[in-house]
Amino acid sequence: MESQANSQQTKPVEPKVNELIAECQSLILATVDADGNPTASYAPFARSGNKFFILVSFMARHTKNLKEIGKVSAMFIEDESATKQIYARHRLTLDVSTREIARDTAEWSEAVTALQTAHGKILDILVGMQDFIMIELTTKKGAYVNGFGSAYFVDENLEILQHRNDINHQVAEKSSK
């Protein structure tokens, strides 16, 4: 007999990629070093289209990885206190490319202004510290999940490509021992 969970289709929830990003002040970073060792971290960000700007200290492990390796995953995730189900937190995970933005350029000034608008006067202090560098993260592709059976592929423009309906959740049969 097929279980009730298997017989019911889970209805996908409408994706709200931009709303999730707007709710976040920081993003989670997953980087690797030259030996393939992973580092998890986070950084406050400012957004411009499909690009995100972060101001990070070169003394941090993740900054070296961002500059030298450039293999990065960035995640935006629903606050735990706001979630209805901890196993189904809304999240957007992006594969991004990285590029350092040089100081004393128009791009640097624009990124600093965007970060100041998002995060306030602390930027006045951080920008003056010479160990802080500006990194641009550009979206390549990603995945958006907003519940059980509600996962989507995302393109470089943060647009939904398609529902990920190729894998169905299975419920394990209970043992009759």
Side-chain angles (χ1 to χ4, degrees):
M1 183 174 149
E2 187 177 18
S3 74
Q4 186 177 1
N6 272 343
S7 64
Q8 294 179 355
Q9 291 283 60
T10 304
K11 184 179 177 191
V13 178
E14 179 187 355
K16 296 183 178 178
V17 172
N18 291 312
E19 290 87 343
L20 178 61
I21 294 170
E23 290 172 8
C24 297
Q25 292 187 41
S26 63
L27 50 79
I28 298 169
L29 296 168
T31 64
V32 294
D33 65 18
D35 296 324
N37 298 310
T39 298
S41 189
Y42 83 99
F45 72 92
R47 178 182 179 187
S48 177
N50 69 335
K51 296 179 181 185
F52 302 91
F53 300 101
I54 59 175
L55 187 67
V56 290
S57 171
F58 65 69
M59 292 189 280
R61 285 176 47 195
H62 65 262
T63 302
K64 182 177 180 180
N65 299 344
L66 287 164
K67 284 182 64 168
E68 294 180 6
I69 307 302
K71 286 187 177 183
V72 181
S73 180
M75 176 187 261
F76 302 86
I77 189 164
E78 177 183 32
D79 188 295
E80 285 184 9
S81 66
T83 191
K84 294 176 184 170
Q85 172 47 259
I86 196 67
Y87 280 97
R89 286 169 71 189
H90 296 203
R91 58 202 176 271
L92 171 66
T93 305
L94 302 173
D95 294 344
V96 297
S97 61
T98 63
R99 180 176 71 93
E100 183 177 353
I101 297 176
R103 283 182 180 262
D104 302 321
T105 64
E107 284 181 297
W108 169 273
S109 296
E110 290 170 18
V112 167
T113 298
L115 283 163
Q116 285 172 323
T117 300
H119 304 292
K121 292 193 174 285
I122 186 68
L123 268 291
D124 295 339
I125 296 167
L126 298 177
V127 168
M129 298 176 156
Q130 294 304 303
D131 63 301
F132 276 81
I133 63 172
M134 187 72 66
I135 300 286
E136 176 188 271
L137 307 172
T138 302
T139 304
K140 296 192 294 186
K141 64 179 180 176
Y144 179 80
V145 177
N146 62 347
F148 294 113
S150 189
Y152 301 84
F153 294 109
V154 177
D155 70 10
E156 69 276 2
N157 296 311
L158 301 171
E159 298 289 332
I160 298 297
L161 288 174
Q162 68 184 56
H163 183 251
R164 295 175 60 174
N165 59 359
D166 55 342
I167 300 173
N168 295 317
H169 291 285
Q170 300 296 316
V171 176
E173 296 294 323
K174 293 184 178 181
S175 175
S176 60
K177 291 183 181 179

